[in-house]
Amino acid sequence: MAEESLFWADQIARIVKERVDQDPKLKKIVKDRGYICYDEKTPSGHIHIGSGRGWIIHDTVAKAMRDLGLNARFVLSSDDYDPFDKFPSYLDRSKYEKYLGVPFRNIPSPEPGYESYADYYFTEVTSKFEEFGIEAELESTGQRYINGDFNWAIKIALDNADKIREIYKRIYGKSIGAEKLPFNPICEKCGKIGTTLAYEWDPDREVVKYKCVEDLVPWAKGCGYEGEISPYDGNGKLPWKVEWAAKWPTVGVVFETAGKDHFTKKGSREVAVAIANEVYDFPPPYPSSRTSIGKGYEFFTVGGRKMSTSKGRGVWFADIAEKVPPKILRYLLVRTRPRAVIDFDPYQTNKILLLYDNYDKTERIYFGVEKVNERERAQEKRIYELSYVGKIPSKLPPQLPLGEAAMIVQSVNFDKEKALKIVKKIRKLPEKLSTEDIAYLNDRLDSAIKWVEEFAPEEYKFVVQEKMPEAVKKISEEQKEALKLLADQLSKKEFTKEELEEEIYRIAKETVGSRKFFEASYIALIGKTHGPRLAPFLLTLNREFLVRRFRLEQ
Ligand SMILES: [Zn+2]
């Protein structure tokens, strides 16, 4: 990899490396644990595709760091000690209402075979990571609490409760409850963590006094219990902004970004950065620093709607991964700078076709088949390397534009074997292809089938009519004569795409003109006035059939 790569992930990797090189504290941490790129997610239900942007960003930066020769790891934590605070519409209320306020890892899974609610929803997304080329080490924040990893940070937070209170006051301009301590115990009686209030810390005996308050939060009801408990070893958790700051030194994080909504003025990142600096004396990870909050990544929206975990269907990460091939989504997210908005609307649009065309172009540039200037080549090469899922092939695959694949699969009524034969014919590929090439083409045909079934706008869809379409009655005598001329030509020989294109234009020009000629052709074949590009389309169909159809003999 060129040291001066301008690709965004390479730039971040270099900045983080420089920062670590200049900070003895960070230097020691990465020596022990490697360069940790960290992200976290609350498994509160089906997780939206928007979160996928963060995972791809952290994974890509970790890969870029490894290309710099650094021992980098992407670690993703399930924030499974967070309280169940919002009721997803797809959950059975009668079964789950009683768990509002309970940590996700202590709630039963909605499906058998999983340890908990948290495990179920976290696994639903992480089981797709391999398809996305995401190399992540998974961990559980709750487990870290139980293991005692946060004990030291909890003690510091409780010892510095006044300081934390001051930070909140400085940032928010108002004070939070004077008796509230930065710790939420799990109620020993009802098991809820969202309803408890710790109000007294005894630093000598290292216990907190707390009560489980009936009306502390509107979404869950406390049981009224009052008790005293050690704050360590999983008996509770830090409030999440304090927790965020505590994680950085505990885990040893050098890079962690988040959606830009966290980075707003008075946002959670500002609070976490201040706590990391002033309470834990630890440099906050890039894009933040000791002196600046930095900026998060832009939204990833589908169809113009900002993704939110609480509403909207069909934009769940696990769901979309079944429809849009993960490797193409990865390409989109890798090639787009994190600070640029992505509004991806695959439904009833040709966006997926265009994305595939871009991907194929990047691939041709990578293999030197398409020439561009040096700067663009370097950029596209990095995009290809960092977005390719699996092992990069040794030579350019037999590319097949998705649009052409979509036309072919429809022409043969989704018969993949026939489709492959036609691909070989139109693309002039050798009869005998390597296993990799066949796998590549089959994969492209599968994607085309999915695209036609799930996303294609009407104008891209057609069915070759087995019987003469009714609409043929509407075409003029002149148009019919023109079609017969083409039928005569087709009866004489096999055409190549270029020859056929030429022939079509010649006949059209000499007879009814292009527009009327194309219209008549499409009506005769698919009963519609518009269709896929004519010459390649005709080559996908049986020649005898075409001759008969264009002679209007059935
Ligand atoms: Zn309780």
Side-chain angles (χ1 to χ4, degrees):
M1 187 198 66
E3 186 134 3
E4 292 313 306
S5 164
L6 296 170
F7 183 65
W8 62 265
D10 291 329
Q11 288 177 329
I12 293 174
R14 281 201 305 268
I15 295 169
V16 174
K17 180 181 183 297
E18 269 166 38
R19 182 186 286 189
V20 170
D21 287 346
Q22 288 160 10
D23 189 317
K25 204 175 221 170
L26 292 178
K27 230 173 169 169
K28 185 175 179 322
I29 279 184
V30 301
K31 194 163 170 268
D32 294 344
R33 309 181 212 182
Y35 285 71
I36 294 181
C37 304
Y38 194 76
D39 198 6
E40 41 201 294
K41 185 68 202 165
T42 304
S44 56
H46 294 302
I47 297 173
H48 275 250
I49 185 75
S51 299
R53 185 164 200 181
W55 305 330
I56 300 270
I57 288 172
H58 289 91
D59 174 59
T60 304
V61 169
K63 285 179 164 74
M65 285 177 173
R66 289 197 287 273
D67 288 345
L68 269 185
L70 306 175
N71 167 27
R73 305 153 56 195
F74 167 34
V75 178
L76 174 66
S77 192
S78 167
D79 281 345
D80 54 359
Y81 242 28
D82 288 357
F84 182 23
D85 62 353
K86 248 187 238 135
F87 212 92
S89 57
Y90 43 81
L91 265 196
D92 184 347
R93 214 167 241 286
S94 65
K95 265 196 208 152
Y96 278 94
E97 190 137 44
K98 61 175 181 250
Y99 296 112
L100 278 162
V102 173
F104 288 112
R105 74 177 271 133
N106 296 347
I107 301 174
S109 165
E111 300 289 339
Y114 299 87
E115 278 172 28
S116 66
Y117 185 102
D119 182 34
Y120 174 74
Y121 287 110
F122 197 59
T123 306
E124 184 180 59
V125 289
T126 55
S127 63
K128 304 277 177 202
F129 276 14
E130 204 181 329
E131 291 172 62
F132 277 87
I134 298 173
E135 299 165 273
E137 291 170 40
L138 307 177
E139 62 172 46
S140 142
T141 303
Q143 193 58 51
R144 275 195 177 270
Y145 277 106
I146 293 164
N147 294 348
D149 293 350
F150 286 117
N151 288 356
W152 74 280
I154 292 168
K155 178 169 169 49
I156 289 181
L158 288 167
D159 285 344
N160 289 275
D162 287 340
K163 212 180 211 175
I164 291 172
R165 211 173 280 124
E166 269 166 38
I167 290 170
Y168 273 84
K169 195 179 172 192
R170 188 177 76 219
I171 293 173
Y172 293 115
K174 57 175 190 231
S175 40
I176 49 162
E179 54 164 24
K180 197 174 173 335
L181 291 172
F183 184 76
N184 305 113
I186 298 176
C187 174
E188 294 155 279
K189 194 174 165 217
C190 72
K192 290 179 185 172
I193 195 169
T195 52
T196 56
L197 181 88
Y199 58 89
E200 203 180 302
W201 163 235
D202 182 337
D204 299 324
R205 290 166 54 232
E206 303 195 49
V207 290
V208 289
K209 282 190 175 148
Y210 73 98
K211 50 195 172 194
C212 185
V213 187
E214 201 174 322
D215 57 355
L216 186 73
V217 290
W219 37 267
K221 219 171 151 183
C223 69
Y225 181 79
E226 285 200 41
E228 190 184 76
I229 199 172
S230 155
Y232 302 146
D233 303 330
N235 287 343
K237 77 188 282 291
L238 296 162
W240 86 270
K241 289 169 202 171
V242 183
E243 178 183 283
W244 203 3
K247 271 179 175 170
W248 297 333
T250 303
V251 178
V253 181
V254 292
F255 171 64
E256 180 181 5
T257 184
K260 70 165 185 182
D261 45 338
H262 292 294
F263 282 77
T264 51
K265 192 131 188 58
K266 300 183 184 179
S268 46
R269 185 77 168 206
E270 184 176 350
V271 177
V273 163
I275 293 172
N277 266 325
E278 298 167 43
V279 178
Y280 293 112
D281 187 24
F282 187 81
Y286 186 86
S288 304
S289 69
R290 291 265 191 192
T291 51
S292 148
I293 300 158
K295 290 191 163 117
Y297 55 84
E298 270 289 346
F299 294 127
F300 176 26
T301 64
V302 165
R305 277 170 304 160
K306 185 191 162 215
M307 283 175 223
S308 132
T309 315
S310 56
K311 58 186 163 194
R313 230 222 92 113
V315 283
W316 295 331
F317 182 85
D319 233 24
I320 204 95
E322 294 294 320
K323 296 170 184 169
V324 184
K327 62 174 191 183
I328 214 78
L329 281 178
R330 179 178 181 100
Y331 170 77
L332 172 68
L333 291 165
V334 168
R335 85 160 299 133
T336 314
R337 294 187 73 85
R339 301 283 317 285
V341 175
I342 302 180
D343 177 14
F344 184 65
D345 188 1
Y347 292 95
Q348 312 299 311
T349 71
N350 63 356
K351 284 239 177 126
I352 290 180
L353 291 191
L354 298 176
L355 194 54
Y356 267 91
D357 287 351
N358 281 332
Y359 182 87
D360 290 349
K361 186 180 174 191
T362 301
E363 192 169 56
R364 290 193 299 276
I365 293 170
Y366 176 86
F367 284 102
V369 174
E370 187 161 330
K371 302 285 179 220
V372 288
N373 69 43
E374 193 44 42
R375 194 182 150 155
E376 194 184 338
R377 198 196 63 84
Q379 177 83 355
E380 295 297 316
K381 187 169 171 285
R382 283 305 277 158
I383 292 170
Y384 189 72
E385 286 168 348
L386 290 167
S387 63
Y388 195 87
V389 176
K391 194 175 170 290
I392 293 180
S394 54
K395 61 175 182 52
L396 182 71
Q399 292 195 338
L400 171 68
L402 191 70
E404 194 172 314
M407 183 266 286
I408 293 169
V409 294
Q410 292 183 87
S411 278
V412 296
N413 230 332
F414 302 97
D415 180 333
K416 264 175 64 188
E417 224 167 281
K418 276 190 194 164
L420 196 58
K421 276 190 188 141
I422 290 170
V423 170
K424 286 185 193 167
K425 182 176 132 191
I426 297 184
R427 295 254 131 201
K428 299 188 186 113
L429 298 173
E431 187 44 42
K432 225 171 151 32
L433 289 170
S434 69
T435 323
E436 296 85 60
D437 287 352
I438 291 174
Y440 172 89
L441 290 169
N442 273 324
D443 180 59
R444 196 46 71 99
L445 292 170
D446 285 334
S447 302
I449 292 170
K450 266 188 190 161
W451 182 71
V452 172
E453 286 173 346
E454 285 285 340
F455 303 107
E458 273 314 304
E459 71 250 38
Y460 286 89
K461 290 191 200 173
F462 63 87
V463 177
V464 177
Q465 302 293 305
E466 274 180 48
K467 289 190 178 150
M468 188 72 74
E470 278 291 301
V472 162
K473 289 176 186 158
K474 285 186 223 153
I475 61 182
S476 71
E477 287 307 314
E478 291 79 12
Q479 281 173 306
K480 285 178 187 166
E481 285 309 312
L483 288 184
K484 280 177 191 164
L485 289 175
L486 181 57
D488 291 343
Q489 293 304 319
L490 285 167
S491 70
K492 287 180 197 159
K493 64 164 200 163
E494 253 337 314
F495 281 84
T496 67
K497 193 174 82 183
E498 293 73 24
E499 289 167 348
L500 189 56
E501 240 147 34
E502 216 169 284
E503 198 57 40
I504 288 168
Y505 278 98
R506 186 186 64 79
I507 296 174
K509 203 174 155 207
E510 288 170 8
T511 57
V512 289
S514 296
R515 195 183 60 79
K516 283 192 169 171
F517 185 79
F518 283 113
E519 183 190 75
S521 308
Y522 293 127
I523 287 176
L525 295 170
I526 59 177
K528 290 163 77 172
T529 54
H530 294 84
R533 274 194 45 208
L534 192 58
F537 177 42
L538 296 185
L539 289 181
T540 65
L541 300 168
N542 178 288
R543 199 148 62 90
E544 282 87 58
F545 162 78
L546 281 176
V547 171
R548 269 181 283 128
R549 180 57 56 91
F550 284 157
R551 285 180 175 153
L552 304 179
E553 290 167 358
Q554 203 59 26

